[in-house]
Amino acid sequence: MTLTDGTYRLGPSTGRLLIRTGRAGLGRRAGHDLTIEATRWSGEAIVAVRDPDRSSVSVTVETGSLEVREGAGGLKALTDTDRAEIKRTLADKALLHIAEHPTITFRSTGITGTPQSFEITGELTIKGQTHWVTVQGKGSDAGPLRGWATVTQSTWGIKPYTAFLGALRLADDVRVEFEVARLEPADGPGLPPHAGQV
């Protein structure tokens, strides 16, 4: 995907936002490595290709929109009942507490690099707590923009899920990934869509 200067909308119509979990503990063979997708999210990217300091990204995710897409590993296949139970668990106070904290937000504070290899630093707010996170990203003319960040759940006051008296637990670190297949120009003022094509 070729980037040009401008202000763009982000969301499910332009890409995907995924969370990938891992397992820990003696009972990890019984669980699944989960792929969870945010189905309702929105954002804005301001792109200044030749001056990345002028670029920025902001994203808001509805915590109630997280859906389990895949469950790898485990002693048995992930069922629809399992998916529904995981969704209920995510809503719990010990995890995301979505009744009190209906959104997760990210606001960039700095962007460096090129459209082919870039780094975004910013503030991630989960459950009312804000901490720094670094996102690594890559792009090419022939494919989508992709990126990832490691989020340590306990830093944001999230207690990783446990079962079997703690023998099975989710790893504290989860991997957040994004893929942007196309950019939709946003309405309103922004950087002019002219110079900066790469």
Side-chain angles (χ1 to χ4, degrees), residues 20-21 23 31-36 68-79 82-83 86:
R20 299 191 189 275
T21 71
R23 293 163 285 166
H32 297 87
D33 294 325
L34 301 175
T35 299
I36 300 169
V68 178
R69 295 303 191 205
E70 296 176 25
L75 298 177
K76 62 182 182 65
L78 197 68
T79 66
D82 294 332
R83 288 182 171 86
I86 293 166

PDB file of all heavy atoms in Angstrom, residues 20-21 23 31-36 68-79 82-83 86:
ATOM      1  N   ARG A  20      -3.400 -11.660  20.563  1.00  0.00           N
ATOM      2  CA  ARG A  20      -3.003 -13.072  20.593  1.00  0.00           C
ATOM      3  C   ARG A  20      -2.458 -13.396  21.984  1.00  0.00           C
ATOM      4  O   ARG A  20      -1.545 -12.733  22.473  1.00  0.00           O
ATOM      5  CB  ARG A  20      -1.957 -13.361  19.522  1.00  0.00           C
ATOM      6  CG  ARG A  20      -2.462 -13.099  18.104  1.00  0.00           C
ATOM      7  CD  ARG A  20      -1.495 -13.636  17.061  1.00  0.00           C
ATOM      8  NE  ARG A  20      -1.843 -13.209  15.723  1.00  0.00           N
ATOM      9  CZ  ARG A  20      -2.729 -13.832  14.934  1.00  0.00           C
ATOM     10  NH1 ARG A  20      -3.350 -14.906  15.392  1.00  0.00           N
ATOM     11  NH2 ARG A  20      -2.980 -13.390  13.711  1.00  0.00           N
ATOM     12  N   THR A  21      -3.029 -14.425  22.596  1.00  0.00           N
ATOM     13  CA  THR A  21      -2.625 -14.815  23.942  1.00  0.00           C
ATOM     14  C   THR A  21      -1.819 -16.107  23.897  1.00  0.00           C
ATOM     15  O   THR A  21      -1.911 -16.893  22.953  1.00  0.00           O
ATOM     16  CB  THR A  21      -3.847 -15.030  24.859  1.00  0.00           C
ATOM     17  OG1 THR A  21      -4.541 -16.223  24.454  1.00  0.00           O
ATOM     18  CG2 THR A  21      -4.815 -13.847  24.788  1.00  0.00           C
ATOM     19  N   ARG A  23      -0.116 -19.412  26.685  1.00  0.00           N
ATOM     20  CA  ARG A  23      -0.423 -20.151  27.910  1.00  0.00           C
ATOM     21  C   ARG A  23       0.828 -20.333  28.753  1.00  0.00           C
ATOM     22  O   ARG A  23       1.940 -20.354  28.241  1.00  0.00           O
ATOM     23  CB  ARG A  23      -0.979 -21.535  27.566  1.00  0.00           C
ATOM     24  CG  ARG A  23      -2.321 -21.518  26.886  1.00  0.00           C
ATOM     25  CD  ARG A  23      -2.600 -22.850  26.219  1.00  0.00           C
ATOM     26  NE  ARG A  23      -1.818 -22.991  24.980  1.00  0.00           N
ATOM     27  CZ  ARG A  23      -1.651 -24.135  24.333  1.00  0.00           C
ATOM     28  NH1 ARG A  23      -2.197 -25.246  24.801  1.00  0.00           N
ATOM     29  NH2 ARG A  23      -0.949 -24.172  23.227  1.00  0.00           N
ATOM     30  N   GLY A  31      -5.184 -25.838  27.694  1.00  0.00           N
ATOM     31  CA  GLY A  31      -5.789 -24.595  27.226  1.00  0.00           C
ATOM     32  C   GLY A  31      -5.520 -24.324  25.761  1.00  0.00           C
ATOM     33  O   GLY A  31      -5.029 -25.182  25.031  1.00  0.00           O
ATOM     34  N   HIS A  32      -5.862 -23.119  25.348  1.00  0.00           N
ATOM     35  CA  HIS A  32      -5.709 -22.712  23.959  1.00  0.00           C
ATOM     36  C   HIS A  32      -4.947 -21.397  23.873  1.00  0.00           C
ATOM     37  O   HIS A  32      -5.061 -20.544  24.757  1.00  0.00           O
ATOM     38  CB  HIS A  32      -7.079 -22.517  23.289  1.00  0.00           C
ATOM     39  CG  HIS A  32      -7.903 -23.756  23.215  1.00  0.00           C
ATOM     40  ND1 HIS A  32      -8.741 -24.141  24.238  1.00  0.00           N
ATOM     41  CD2 HIS A  32      -8.023 -24.692  22.248  1.00  0.00           C
ATOM     42  CE1 HIS A  32      -9.349 -25.278  23.898  1.00  0.00           C
ATOM     43  NE2 HIS A  32      -8.936 -25.626  22.700  1.00  0.00           N
ATOM     44  N   ASP A  33      -4.176 -21.250  22.813  1.00  0.00           N
ATOM     45  CA  ASP A  33      -3.634 -19.946  22.445  1.00  0.00           C
ATOM     46  C   ASP A  33      -4.719 -19.252  21.634  1.00  0.00           C
ATOM     47  O   ASP A  33      -5.126 -19.748  20.571  1.00  0.00           O
ATOM     48  CB  ASP A  33      -2.357 -20.098  21.609  1.00  0.00           C
ATOM     49  CG  ASP A  33      -1.221 -20.715  22.410  1.00  0.00           C
ATOM     50  OD1 ASP A  33      -1.118 -20.436  23.620  1.00  0.00           O
ATOM     51  OD2 ASP A  33      -0.434 -21.481  21.819  1.00  0.00           O
ATOM     52  N   LEU A  34      -5.191 -18.132  22.135  1.00  0.00           N
ATOM     53  CA  LEU A  34      -6.366 -17.494  21.543  1.00  0.00           C
ATOM     54  C   LEU A  34      -5.985 -16.367  20.579  1.00  0.00           C
ATOM     55  O   LEU A  34      -5.016 -15.649  20.803  1.00  0.00           O
ATOM     56  CB  LEU A  34      -7.255 -16.911  22.644  1.00  0.00           C
ATOM     57  CG  LEU A  34      -7.782 -17.897  23.692  1.00  0.00           C
ATOM     58  CD1 LEU A  34      -8.549 -17.142  24.771  1.00  0.00           C
ATOM     59  CD2 LEU A  34      -8.646 -18.969  23.050  1.00  0.00           C
ATOM     60  N   THR A  35      -6.787 -16.238  19.526  1.00  0.00           N
ATOM     61  CA  THR A  35      -6.769 -15.056  18.675  1.00  0.00           C
ATOM     62  C   THR A  35      -8.101 -14.356  18.875  1.00  0.00           C
ATOM     63  O   THR A  35      -9.159 -14.919  18.594  1.00  0.00           O
ATOM     64  CB  THR A  35      -6.585 -15.418  17.194  1.00  0.00           C
ATOM     65  OG1 THR A  35      -5.335 -16.092  17.029  1.00  0.00           O
ATOM     66  CG2 THR A  35      -6.598 -14.163  16.327  1.00  0.00           C
ATOM     67  N   ILE A  36      -8.046 -13.137  19.404  1.00  0.00           N
ATOM     68  CA  ILE A  36      -9.239 -12.351  19.720  1.00  0.00           C
ATOM     69  C   ILE A  36      -9.248 -11.122  18.823  1.00  0.00           C
ATOM     70  O   ILE A  36      -8.217 -10.459  18.667  1.00  0.00           O
ATOM     71  CB  ILE A  36      -9.226 -11.941  21.207  1.00  0.00           C
ATOM     72  CG1 ILE A  36      -9.218 -13.196  22.100  1.00  0.00           C
ATOM     73  CG2 ILE A  36     -10.407 -11.043  21.544  1.00  0.00           C
ATOM     74  CD1 ILE A  36      -8.936 -12.920  23.557  1.00  0.00           C
ATOM     75  N   VAL A  68     -13.652 -14.034  20.167  1.00  0.00           N
ATOM     76  CA  VAL A  68     -12.654 -15.080  19.958  1.00  0.00           C
ATOM     77  C   VAL A  68     -12.796 -15.623  18.538  1.00  0.00           C
ATOM     78  O   VAL A  68     -13.864 -16.096  18.143  1.00  0.00           O
ATOM     79  CB  VAL A  68     -12.820 -16.218  20.978  1.00  0.00           C
ATOM     80  CG1 VAL A  68     -11.801 -17.327  20.709  1.00  0.00           C
ATOM     81  CG2 VAL A  68     -12.658 -15.690  22.393  1.00  0.00           C
ATOM     82  N   ARG A  69     -11.719 -15.554  17.774  1.00  0.00           N
ATOM     83  CA  ARG A  69     -11.730 -16.043  16.393  1.00  0.00           C
ATOM     84  C   ARG A  69     -11.118 -17.425  16.262  1.00  0.00           C
ATOM     85  O   ARG A  69     -11.576 -18.246  15.483  1.00  0.00           O
ATOM     86  CB  ARG A  69     -10.976 -15.064  15.486  1.00  0.00           C
ATOM     87  CG  ARG A  69     -11.624 -13.697  15.366  1.00  0.00           C
ATOM     88  CD  ARG A  69     -13.042 -13.790  14.877  1.00  0.00           C
ATOM     89  NE  ARG A  69     -13.592 -12.499  14.508  1.00  0.00           N
ATOM     90  CZ  ARG A  69     -14.873 -12.220  14.504  1.00  0.00           C
ATOM     91  NH1 ARG A  69     -15.760 -13.143  14.883  1.00  0.00           N
ATOM     92  NH2 ARG A  69     -15.306 -11.034  14.136  1.00  0.00           N
ATOM     93  N   GLU A  70     -10.045 -17.691  17.007  1.00  0.00           N
ATOM     94  CA  GLU A  70      -9.351 -18.980  16.889  1.00  0.00           C
ATOM     95  C   GLU A  70      -8.848 -19.410  18.257  1.00  0.00           C
ATOM     96  O   GLU A  70      -8.595 -18.578  19.139  1.00  0.00           O
ATOM     97  CB  GLU A  70      -8.145 -18.866  15.944  1.00  0.00           C
ATOM     98  CG  GLU A  70      -8.466 -18.531  14.508  1.00  0.00           C
ATOM     99  CD  GLU A  70      -7.205 -18.334  13.689  1.00  0.00           C
ATOM    100  OE1 GLU A  70      -6.155 -18.902  14.061  1.00  0.00           O
ATOM    101  OE2 GLU A  70      -7.269 -17.605  12.687  1.00  0.00           O
ATOM    102  N   GLY A  71      -8.705 -20.722  18.425  1.00  0.00           N
ATOM    103  CA  GLY A  71      -8.089 -21.286  19.610  1.00  0.00           C
ATOM    104  C   GLY A  71      -7.164 -22.407  19.184  1.00  0.00           C
ATOM    105  O   GLY A  71      -7.619 -23.487  18.797  1.00  0.00           O
ATOM    106  N   ALA A  72      -5.858 -22.169  19.218  1.00  0.00           N
ATOM    107  CA  ALA A  72      -4.891 -23.165  18.777  1.00  0.00           C
ATOM    108  C   ALA A  72      -4.395 -23.973  19.966  1.00  0.00           C
ATOM    109  O   ALA A  72      -4.320 -23.477  21.091  1.00  0.00           O
ATOM    110  CB  ALA A  72      -3.718 -22.482  18.083  1.00  0.00           C
ATOM    111  N   GLY A  73      -4.042 -25.228  19.703  1.00  0.00           N
ATOM    112  CA  GLY A  73      -3.544 -26.092  20.759  1.00  0.00           C
ATOM    113  C   GLY A  73      -4.686 -26.616  21.618  1.00  0.00           C
ATOM    114  O   GLY A  73      -5.854 -26.592  21.236  1.00  0.00           O
ATOM    115  N   GLY A  74      -4.339 -27.093  22.795  1.00  0.00           N
ATOM    116  CA  GLY A  74      -5.363 -27.614  23.692  1.00  0.00           C
ATOM    117  C   GLY A  74      -5.650 -29.077  23.440  1.00  0.00           C
ATOM    118  O   GLY A  74      -5.295 -29.638  22.400  1.00  0.00           O
ATOM    119  N   LEU A  75      -6.307 -29.695  24.405  1.00  0.00           N
ATOM    120  CA  LEU A  75      -6.623 -31.115  24.292  1.00  0.00           C
ATOM    121  C   LEU A  75      -7.850 -31.359  23.443  1.00  0.00           C
ATOM    122  O   LEU A  75      -8.080 -32.473  22.979  1.00  0.00           O
ATOM    123  CB  LEU A  75      -6.831 -31.703  25.701  1.00  0.00           C
ATOM    124  CG  LEU A  75      -5.602 -31.647  26.623  1.00  0.00           C
ATOM    125  CD1 LEU A  75      -5.948 -32.192  28.003  1.00  0.00           C
ATOM    126  CD2 LEU A  75      -4.437 -32.421  26.008  1.00  0.00           C
ATOM    127  N   LYS A  76      -8.679 -30.319  23.261  1.00  0.00           N
ATOM    128  CA  LYS A  76      -9.866 -30.459  22.420  1.00  0.00           C
ATOM    129  C   LYS A  76     -10.085 -29.152  21.674  1.00  0.00           C
ATOM    130  O   LYS A  76      -9.547 -28.110  22.045  1.00  0.00           O
ATOM    131  CB  LYS A  76     -11.100 -30.810  23.259  1.00  0.00           C
ATOM    132  CG  LYS A  76     -11.487 -29.770  24.284  1.00  0.00           C
ATOM    133  CD  LYS A  76     -12.679 -30.234  25.101  1.00  0.00           C
ATOM    134  CE  LYS A  76     -13.129 -29.180  26.102  1.00  0.00           C
ATOM    135  NZ  LYS A  76     -13.648 -27.955  25.496  1.00  0.00           N
ATOM    136  N   ALA A  77     -10.878 -29.227  20.621  1.00  0.00           N
ATOM    137  CA  ALA A  77     -11.150 -28.033  19.819  1.00  0.00           C
ATOM    138  C   ALA A  77     -11.967 -27.024  20.614  1.00  0.00           C
ATOM    139  O   ALA A  77     -12.773 -27.387  21.478  1.00  0.00           O
ATOM    140  CB  ALA A  77     -11.895 -28.427  18.542  1.00  0.00           C
ATOM    141  N   LEU A  78     -11.759 -25.758  20.318  1.00  0.00           N
ATOM    142  CA  LEU A  78     -12.522 -24.687  20.949  1.00  0.00           C
ATOM    143  C   LEU A  78     -13.954 -24.707  20.418  1.00  0.00           C
ATOM    144  O   LEU A  78     -14.188 -24.744  19.216  1.00  0.00           O
ATOM    145  CB  LEU A  78     -11.859 -23.344  20.629  1.00  0.00           C
ATOM    146  CG  LEU A  78     -12.232 -22.152  21.496  1.00  0.00           C
ATOM    147  CD1 LEU A  78     -11.695 -22.343  22.906  1.00  0.00           C
ATOM    148  CD2 LEU A  78     -11.655 -20.879  20.892  1.00  0.00           C
ATOM    149  N   THR A  79     -14.936 -24.709  21.332  1.00  0.00           N
ATOM    150  CA  THR A  79     -16.348 -24.776  20.945  1.00  0.00           C
ATOM    151  C   THR A  79     -16.987 -23.394  21.039  1.00  0.00           C
ATOM    152  O   THR A  79     -16.421 -22.454  21.605  1.00  0.00           O
ATOM    153  CB  THR A  79     -17.110 -25.743  21.864  1.00  0.00           C
ATOM    154  OG1 THR A  79     -17.132 -25.191  23.193  1.00  0.00           O
ATOM    155  CG2 THR A  79     -16.453 -27.120  21.883  1.00  0.00           C
ATOM    156  N   ASP A  82     -17.283 -22.498  24.575  1.00  0.00           N
ATOM    157  CA  ASP A  82     -16.007 -21.964  25.078  1.00  0.00           C
ATOM    158  C   ASP A  82     -15.865 -20.491  24.722  1.00  0.00           C
ATOM    159  O   ASP A  82     -15.454 -19.669  25.554  1.00  0.00           O
ATOM    160  CB  ASP A  82     -14.825 -22.741  24.489  1.00  0.00           C
ATOM    161  CG  ASP A  82     -14.753 -24.181  24.946  1.00  0.00           C
ATOM    162  OD1 ASP A  82     -15.224 -24.479  26.065  1.00  0.00           O
ATOM    163  OD2 ASP A  82     -14.235 -25.011  24.174  1.00  0.00           O
ATOM    164  N   ARG A  83     -16.199 -20.154  23.482  1.00  0.00           N
ATOM    165  CA  ARG A  83     -16.073 -18.761  23.039  1.00  0.00           C
ATOM    166  C   ARG A  83     -16.971 -17.839  23.864  1.00  0.00           C
ATOM    167  O   ARG A  83     -16.559 -16.745  24.265  1.00  0.00           O
ATOM    168  CB  ARG A  83     -16.423 -18.648  21.551  1.00  0.00           C
ATOM    169  CG  ARG A  83     -15.375 -19.232  20.618  1.00  0.00           C
ATOM    170  CD  ARG A  83     -15.787 -19.024  19.156  1.00  0.00           C
ATOM    171  NE  ARG A  83     -14.721 -19.376  18.245  1.00  0.00           N
ATOM    172  CZ  ARG A  83     -14.500 -20.610  17.789  1.00  0.00           C
ATOM    173  NH1 ARG A  83     -15.292 -21.604  18.161  1.00  0.00           N
ATOM    174  NH2 ARG A  83     -13.507 -20.846  16.955  1.00  0.00           N
ATOM    175  N   ILE A  86     -15.451 -17.388  27.326  1.00  0.00           N
ATOM    176  CA  ILE A  86     -14.300 -16.481  27.298  1.00  0.00           C
ATOM    177  C   ILE A  86     -14.770 -15.034  27.210  1.00  0.00           C
ATOM    178  O   ILE A  86     -14.227 -14.145  27.880  1.00  0.00           O
ATOM    179  CB  ILE A  86     -13.363 -16.835  26.125  1.00  0.00           C
ATOM    180  CG1 ILE A  86     -12.708 -18.203  26.370  1.00  0.00           C
ATOM    181  CG2 ILE A  86     -12.300 -15.762  25.925  1.00  0.00           C
ATOM    182  CD1 ILE A  86     -12.035 -18.796  25.155  1.00  0.00           C
TER     183      ILE A  86
END
